[in-house]
Amino acid sequence: MNGAESLVRTLLKSDIDTCFANPGTSEMHFVAALDQIPGMHCVLGLQENVVTGMADGYYRIAGKPAATLLHCGPGLANGLGNLHNARRANAGIVNIVGDQATYHRPLDAPLTADTDSLARTVSQWIHTSTRSEDVGHDAALAVRAAKTHPGQIATLILPSDASWKDGGVVAEPLPVPTPPTLDPHVIEQAARMLRNGEKTLILLSGQGILAPAQSLVWSIAQASGAEVMADFMCSHLSRGRGRLQIKRVPYNTDVARETLAPFKNIILVGAKPPVGFFAYPGKPSTQYAPDAQLLTLSRPDQDALAALRMLAEELNVPEVSIPDPGPRPGVPSGEVSSEGLAQAVAALMPERTIVSDESITFGYAFYPHTFAAPAHDWLHLAGGAIGDGLPVATGAAIGANRERRVINLQADGSAMYSLQSLWTQARENLPCTTIILSNRQYSILIGEYENVGATPGKTAMDMLDLGNPDLNWVSLANGMGVEGAVASNLDELCDLMRASFAKPGPFLIELLT
Amino acid sequence: MNGAESLVRTLLKSDIDTCFANPGTSEMHFVAALDQIPGMHCVLGLQENVVTGMADGYYRIAGKPAATLLHCGPGLANGLGNLHNARRANAGIVNIVGDQATYHRPLDAPLTADTDSLARTVSQWIHTSTRSEDVGHDAALAVRAAKTHPGQIATLILPSDASWKDGGVVAEPLPVPTPPTLDPHVIEQAARMLRNGEKTLILLSGQGILAPAQSLVWSIAQASGAEVMADFMCSHLSRGRGRLQIKRVPYNTDVARETLAPFKNIILVGAKPPVGFFAYPGKPSTQYAPDAQLLTLSRPDQDALAALRMLAEELNVPEVSIPDPGPRPGVPSGEVSSEGLAQAVAALMPERTIVSDESITFGYAFYPHTFAAPAHDWLHLAGGAIGDGLPVATGAAIGANRERRVINLQADGSAMYSLQSLWTQARENLPCTTIILSNRQYSILIGEYENVGATPGKTAMDMLDLGNPDLNWVSLANGMGVEGAVASNLDELCDLMRASFAKPGPFLIELLT
């Protein structure tokens, strides 16, 4: 058995059964092993940022890591943007990066690059297997790292000779470490905060904002009078009927500071202290009140559910059910607006829909207007590196075994970063409905430019405007085998959404906003 | 004057007048400075690998560096693939990477990444300007590094506060260092080699294969009986009538070894000792005969032209003119083939055409059939990270002030890596004719897979085949504002090429191969 075969068999034993791939020559023995050993679903992405973004979306929905297959340092480099986002989303991914043979590397052949340094910028675990005998065991270590709560990026660099040489040994799955224990004193301190009568915020991210934690959070909030909010940076929320009706900390740093100013105490559940996405001249970097007390109830690597349970017990709170959000919105009509799009999504989405939201500026009204939608999952860009919406939607559809509708609310500028995803949606016949929010500019940057205190002139607009020529998203989708149509009002949008939801495969709607 | 203004003014003073850009929030003050200070041509790319690839193509044709404008570590990461290629091509580029404000970085806001480590993997010069007072001087250092022979990647990381704070000082251009001197003993040694009667190869890359060096090379070869060949890894050749009719060392490592086996001596002019692109089980990594003597006449950082002049003098060779390649090929007809496409290119290309060749497997016949074309420049992928053909073509057109036709011979799989380039071609109305070699598979990998000793089964073909669904390149081009059409034989191809060459803007031909 060669190293590559031991790798495939070890991954399968460790319950890794999906591999997002864009292979090259140095991975051919791995490809051959995947071909010969049944059990791995291999999904091709036509550029590596699609590959890594799919693995992120897959993890968020499947709840277990996929493998990626990348080609040398430059192939990894192409996928780093979405690995950055996946790291911020605490996604578990096992990257297999094929590389030059150990003895060939010193000759500095053209594709030779500093694969290790590249991997290190996004990986919590990294290792190079230099002997075929070690590949199986190293793979088991990589899977263990990827599965370690709340999910980590593990990168195994595989020189081609370690892949092709004999001596491979299949490794048994390794036990995944349990999250670091919670400090009972912290639980008591949180309870004291919640009892002291001061205005207190429970700020949620990670596991703390998913369905299993939400009724606990709500019971604690109801009993204590605390408010509840989601961190701006949260990658995955359980939303809709039966779930919390909360808002996120706003993106705009002035509005965020106003929003957070009243709180004397902030209890962080899987969230970090809220800071600005960027710094601005003369404005503070942190968004909480200067005299606010911040308490980390659970770090992202700890068990938020257990922490909330201990806190509820400490406070002895009665269980209360999450309030009803009222009637489901009706189908909207008329001119396109953020509110109208949100209503359309809420009115028409099937049960258990997954929303991949990379709406950037257009999404401001999405949250309040979708509280009364059926229960659904909502995925956000967590790392700020634009271009994850399409591949995350694609990977999420695979993570849900094609059994759930995926609606991708997708800004046009960001969509151009990873439009190749549409081809994979067509090839895999995925139930993905992409709604391109076509405003033909980098709107967020025009706003940021105006914050500098100037109006963009021609040179600036040359860098901020996506018109001239306008992108034709229906042509782009058709070019990759995906049907599409333009909607210029909400009625057309709703007709196209209905038609798309009735069919198993992908569809793209260019919504002129 | 703020740091950003001092940066723009310093770049302009140093003769950097083109900026390929995809900005973000942390670069808004730089964008504002570009807007307010006239003189910089800013070209938007819709993904960073397009931006960096354009800068590479620009350098190869303009012969001077452009700036790039990239957004934080992840924006740089998206552009690393083509920076890897640019480094291998010895292109000079000044990357300006905006980043978090110095005091904001420790807070680990979402887009924060290890920008420095990312930059280090591709840059010969790297620096972070932490004070607005230093930005101008640091920019002058960056330009000097980029212009240092034969061209280097210089990356200036610019925290947003260094950009927006006052105190900026415009710096004068710094003198560019002259290349390291040549050792006269090496020249003498080369002369001895060429006189000793053994079979000798002069292997060229870099400056050694451009027009000014070619008649020297030819005179030396004619006088000494040496053979002349281009390195497989050469990014830019002067070709066509009046230029050397030589071949490259083949890609296939067996064929390369056979080709190089007869040579007892190899004189390297800007080339490195030839090694395999990849290692293969049981095959040597190096491609020259084990007993061959290798002599580096000039390293890439030395002056190849001076070295060749000294060698010609040492040998006292008479100047002979490069032989005529015979009549220009006629317009071909009939079925599509590599030979036929090459003939069409040779028959129809305007004078001073630039060819951007990322043909991968289909290009085997291009060289011999284009010797008798008009004088032209031929650009290759130098680093092996696929996806440079389209952006290099785009940047080359800008580097030639839109005055020269660019023909991009472009494999379909690689084209999908950076197809966003087409939009920039449309926006800038560039004279780019893209010929997509549409075989609907990663052919090179199917060949490499078969080298492993197996026939690809379904799982392997799922990763090697680009069909299901077929890409429709005309739709893709139309979606980005570029006209296009399909050619299924050479007659249609020639008609479309003629039509395209008659118009100033871009055009795409999907050639079914």
Side-chain angles (χ1 to χ4, degrees), chain A residues 35 104 276 285 417 427 457 462 465, chain B residues 35 104 276 285 427 457 462 465:
Chain A
D35 206 26
H104 200 68
S285 279
Y417 269 62
R427 170 175 274 203
D462 278 350
D465 173 25
Chain B
D35 206 26
H104 201 68
S285 279
R427 169 175 276 204
D462 278 351
D465 174 25

Side-chain angles (χ1 to χ4, degrees), chain A residues 498-512:
Chain A
R498 278 196 204 90
S500 168
F501 297 167
K503 285 190 282 191
F507 193 83
L508 179 140
I509 302 167
E510 179 174 358
L511 181 65
L512 304 178

Side-chain angles (χ1 to χ4, degrees), chain B residues 57-58 61-62 352 354 395-406 431:
Chain B
Y58 175 93
I61 297 303
R352 301 184 70 228
I354 299 161
I398 293 168
N401 283 318
R402 298 185 179 75
E403 289 161 5
R404 300 169 63 181
R405 175 60 45 181
V406 180

Side-chain angles (χ1 to χ4, degrees), chain B residues 245-259:
Chain B
Q245 297 154 45
I246 58 173
K247 62 178 181 183
R248 282 198 297 169
V249 176
Y251 172 81
N252 179 293
T253 204
D254 296 327
V255 185
R257 279 197 297 134
E258 269 170 50
T259 306

